[in-house]
């Protein structure tokens, strides 16, 4: 007779084993995600059990895994050592109700549990009238609306679609945060071996101008708050380091006040490669970028001369406009660089306005008008939209520059409206695009308002004000 596999044993015999202990993360009632461990004991005193990652706000049994006939030391060294936070023991009936409260709430919206729950549910008792009901809060707020929280631009879009269909717009919350900077490289649920640690990125080792959005997540808080190290960086690097610190503190403060309810913000039609631009109305082509790069470089080099007066800078801009007026890439960066300088804007606007059929210039004009409180109908639609797809409904996709500018607009709009949860969500999205540093002038205009507002918001959340 073939020996029974561990999985088959769990699915057929685990419920005959006596319950050993159940563990849950401390202060689980305040957590967005509950970490739960249920253990059964064999006659040899070894343990068979399962770990459940339960999202009581929306996704139910988000992740789960089982282990079979392991020693008590396995739990301490493999599970507790790698799991976040501390654990406390709880009664089995509470553990059961936590798992199934999350499971049943998610299933109300047709959101199914992790596939391994087909096996790990047999570590639990049958969900029937023999288990006393214990009230476990699900959803969010007095109406217990589902609240989907994601950590990336394309995560859980299937669940989002289920909420739209089964809950309906306005009947759920949706939070988008780029959490790569706050999470371990390897999730402990999937970490099966001893892997070598990656070499730590240090601020002191970065070259001049080398501090950018792609390396920020790899820097320690100690480095990001080191005044002596930051003193050697340029103004842009100092600002993005300060914003990074505040965003990390904001996450540590917990998700309690996050209420990001713009469900379309990350479901854009997608990125279009620069060598395959959209045909509606028509995008900036790869040839535009290639031809524009030496024009931009020549203009930038001339501006970098020391001691230039404002009059001379204007003359340099006027001279280069006569040579590069037909190149949209040069016009884009030229316009971005002078949005708070009325004389320079007056020079370049006559060249920008005829290019309004290009989505990127419609976006730039919208940001310029928002920045300077100029209310015009064609820009208001962009400023007040929740996604690029809403404004450019016939466009089949968006390149990274368009996405960066759109999320910069939305970050500024929500900052001014005092909705810092939405502002930080859009900021995370703009920093997730490809090389957002190219839009340094737009970002510096944004930071003039976003940084002080973020600082006030985060300090209030962590009780420092």
């Amino acid at each position: 007779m073939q020996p029974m596999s561990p999985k088959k044993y769990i699915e057929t015999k685990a419920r005959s084993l006596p319950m050993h202990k159940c563990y849950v993360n401390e202060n689980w009632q305040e957590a967005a995600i509950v970490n739960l461990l249920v253990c059964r004991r064999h006659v040899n005193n070894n343990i068979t059990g399962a770990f459940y990652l339960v999202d009581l706000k929306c996704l139910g049994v988000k992740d789960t895994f089982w282990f079979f006939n392991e020693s008590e030391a396995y739990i301490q060294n493999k599970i507790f050592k790698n799991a976040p936070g501390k654990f406390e023991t709880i009664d089995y009936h509470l553990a059961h109700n936590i798992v199934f409260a999350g499971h049943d709430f998610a299933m109300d919206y047709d959101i199914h549990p992790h596939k391994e729950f087909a096996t790990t549910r047999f570590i639990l008792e049958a969900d029937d009238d023999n288990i006393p009901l214990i009230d476990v809060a699900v959803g969010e707020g007095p109406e217990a609306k589902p609240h989907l929280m994601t950590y990336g631009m394309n995560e859980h879009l299937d669940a989002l679609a289920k909420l739209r269909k089964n809950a309906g717009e306005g009947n759920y919350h949706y939070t988008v945060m780029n959490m790569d900077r706050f999470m371990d490289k390897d999730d402990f649920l999937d970490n099966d071996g001893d892997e070598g640690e990656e070499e730590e990125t240090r601020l002191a080792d970065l070259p001049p101008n080398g501090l950018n959005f792609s390396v920020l997540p790899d820097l320690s808080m100690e480095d990001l708050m080191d005044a002596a190290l930051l003193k050697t960086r340029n103004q842009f690097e100092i600002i993005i380091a300060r914003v990074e610190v505040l965003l990390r503190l904001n996450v540590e403060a917990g998700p309690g006040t996050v209420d990001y309810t713009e469900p379309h913000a990350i479901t854009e039609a997608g990125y279009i490669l620069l060598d395959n631009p959209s045909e509606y109305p028509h995008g900036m082509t790869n040839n535009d970028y290639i031809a524009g790069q030496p024009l931009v470089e020549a203009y930038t080099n001339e501006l970098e001369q020391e001691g230039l007066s404002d009059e001379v800078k204007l003359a340099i801009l006027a001279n280069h406009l006569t040579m590069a007026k037909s190149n949209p890439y040069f016009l884009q960066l030229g316009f971005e660089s002078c949005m708070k300088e009325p004389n320079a804007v007056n020079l370049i606007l006559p060249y920008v306005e005829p290019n309004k059929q290009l989505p990127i210039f419609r976006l730039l004009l919208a940001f310029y008008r928002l920045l300077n409180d100029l209310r015009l109908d064609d820009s208001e639609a962009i400023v007040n939209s929740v996604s690029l797809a809403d404004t450019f409904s016939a466009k089949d996709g968006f390149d990274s520059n368009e996405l960066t500018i759109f999320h910069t607009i939305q970050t500024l709009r929500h900052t001014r409206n005092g909705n810092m949860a939405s502002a930080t969500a859009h900021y995370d999205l703009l920093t997730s695009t490809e090389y957002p540093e190219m839009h340094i002038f737009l970002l510096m205009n944004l930071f003039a308002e976003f940084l002080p507002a973020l600082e006030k918001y985060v300090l209030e959340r962590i009780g420092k004000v």
Side-chain angles (χ1 to χ4, degrees), residues 29 38 46-47 108 111 129 134 155 171 174 195 281 285 291 296 322-323 342 391 405 419 423 432 435:
Q29 297 94 334
V38 176
N46 279 353
I47 304 296
D108 285 344
I111 298 173
D129 292 340
I134 299 174
E155 188 181 27
N171 296 317
Y174 187 41
E195 300 180 11
T285 69
V296 169
T322 62
M323 296 183 292
T391 304
I405 298 168
N419 185 354
S432 300
Y435 195 49

Side-chain angles (χ1 to χ4, degrees), residues 140 147 175 250 253-260 419-422 457 461:
E140 188 162 290
H147 185 170
T175 297
N250 187 44
T257 62
V258 175
D259 185 18
Y260 184 57
N419 185 354
M420 293 307 296
S422 291
Y457 170 68
R461 291 200 69 209

Side-chain angles (χ1 to χ4, degrees), residues 15 66 83 98 102 109 120 213 345 394 418:
R15 285 176 177 165
W66 55 267
I98 291 172
Y109 301 97
T120 62
F213 293 116
V345 167

Side-chain angles (χ1 to χ4, degrees), residues 138-436:
V138 293
E140 188 162 290
E143 298 177 345
K145 292 182 179 180
H147 185 170
L148 176 61
M149 289 177 280
T150 69
Y151 302 127
M153 294 186 68
N154 297 302
E155 188 181 27
H156 297 306
L157 293 183
D158 54 341
L160 177 59
K162 297 284 183 65
L163 291 177
R164 287 178 179 162
K165 177 183 177 181
N166 300 318
E169 297 295 350
N171 296 317
Y172 62 91
H173 303 297
Y174 187 41
T175 297
V176 182
M177 293 181 291
N178 180 352
M179 290 288 289
D180 289 345
R181 61 168 69 90
F182 308 117
M183 301 182 73
D184 291 335
K185 292 278 191 288
D186 299 304
D187 191 294
F188 75 91
L189 287 172
D190 301 316
N191 188 3
D192 294 322
D194 297 324
E195 300 180 11
E197 295 184 1
E198 295 184 13
E199 187 175 347
E200 186 180 23
T201 302
R202 299 308 304 265
L203 181 56
D205 297 331
L206 295 179
N209 305 315
L211 177 55
N212 54 46
F213 293 116
S214 64
V215 302
L216 274 175
D218 298 323
L219 294 173
S220 67
M221 282 286 275
E222 181 182 2
D223 275 10
L224 290 170
M225 299 179 71
D226 190 320
L229 288 175
L230 289 172
K231 196 173 182 180
T232 65
R233 317 307 301 192
N234 63 42
Q235 184 184 11
F236 180 76
E237 292 175 303
I238 292 171
I239 290 174
I240 64 174
R242 178 58 181 163
V243 171
E244 176 74 10
V245 168
L246 291 168
L247 290 176
R248 294 188 190 186
L249 293 174
N250 187 44
V251 169
E252 290 177 6
T257 62
V258 175
D259 185 18
Y260 184 57
T261 55
E262 296 183 1
H264 305 293
I266 65 164
T267 55
E268 310 293 1
Y271 288 82
I272 294 297
L273 299 177
L274 294 180
D275 58 355
N276 182 26
S278 169
E279 294 301 321
Y280 175 81
H282 58 84
M284 197 182 301
T285 69
N286 198 44
N287 288 335
D288 292 327
Y289 285 94
I290 293 172
Q293 287 171 0
L295 299 173
V296 169
E297 185 176 353
Y299 173 61
T300 303
N301 289 341
E302 197 165 347
L303 278 182
E304 287 179 348
Q305 300 175 65
E306 293 185 7
L308 296 179
S309 65
D310 291 341
E311 291 77 10
V312 171
K313 290 178 182 178
L314 283 175
I316 292 173
L317 175 60
N319 181 49
H320 282 270
L321 280 171
T322 62
M323 296 183 292
K325 61 186 178 183
S326 62
N327 182 266
Y329 181 57
F330 178 86
L331 293 176
Q332 171 205 330
L333 293 188
F335 187 37
E336 289 185 23
S337 69
C338 64
M339 286 190 173
K340 294 292 280 185
E341 301 172 24
N343 291 331
V345 167
N346 290 337
L347 271 179
I348 201 168
L349 268 180
Y351 300 97
V352 170
E353 291 281 356
N355 287 281
K356 282 197 299 185
Q357 80 278 9
L358 289 174
I360 197 165
F361 284 102
R362 287 181 61 189
L363 289 162
L364 285 174
L365 285 165
F367 181 78
Y368 164 70
R369 290 163 181 168
L370 175 64
L371 187 66
N372 293 283
D373 294 313
L374 302 172
R375 305 295 180 181
L376 294 174
D377 290 343
D378 60 337
S379 290
E380 286 294 287
I382 294 175
V383 170
N384 294 317
S385 68
V386 295
S387 80
L388 275 171
D390 289 345
T391 304
F392 303 98
S393 58
K395 197 173 188 294
D396 59 3
F398 306 96
D399 67 30
S400 60
N401 292 312
E402 292 164 343
L403 287 167
T404 302
I405 298 168
F406 173 74
H407 290 304
T408 303
I409 291 170
Q410 296 307 316
T411 304
L412 179 58
R413 171 169 76 101
H414 289 299
T415 297
R416 288 186 173 179
N417 291 341
N419 185 354
M420 293 307 296
S422 291
T424 56
H426 277 288
Y427 179 80
D428 270 336
L429 290 172
L430 80 86
T431 62
S432 300
T433 59
E434 185 178 5
Y435 195 49

Side-chain angles (χ1 to χ4, degrees), residues 57-164:
K57 294 186 181 294
C58 181
L59 295 174
V61 184
K62 184 177 179 181
D63 209 343
T64 181
F65 69 87
W66 55 267
F67 55 92
F68 175 75
N69 200 23
E70 299 283 358
S71 67
E72 188 93 37
Y74 171 89
I75 298 174
Q76 298 297 328
N77 296 329
K78 177 64 177 178
I79 298 180
F80 288 159
K81 187 176 180 179
N82 292 319
K86 295 181 179 180
F87 283 74
E88 60 186 27
T89 57
I90 57 171
D91 178 76
Y92 170 73
H93 291 150
L94 176 56
H96 183 104
N97 276 269
I98 291 172
V99 173
F100 280 99
H103 171 273
D104 293 350
F105 183 66
M107 288 297 290
D108 285 344
Y109 301 97
D110 197 29
I111 298 173
H112 291 256
H114 188 274
K115 62 182 180 180
E116 280 298 308
F117 190 63
T119 298
T120 62
R121 70 183 303 142
F122 292 101
I123 298 293
L124 308 169
E125 295 294 319
D127 188 38
D128 56 26
D129 292 340
N130 292 320
I131 304 296
L133 285 176
I134 299 174
D135 186 32
V136 174
V138 293
E140 188 162 290
E143 298 177 345
K145 292 182 179 180
H147 185 170
L148 176 61
M149 289 177 280
T150 69
Y151 302 127
M153 294 186 68
N154 297 302
E155 188 181 27
H156 297 306
L157 293 183
D158 54 341
L160 177 59
K162 297 284 183 65
L163 291 177
R164 287 178 179 162

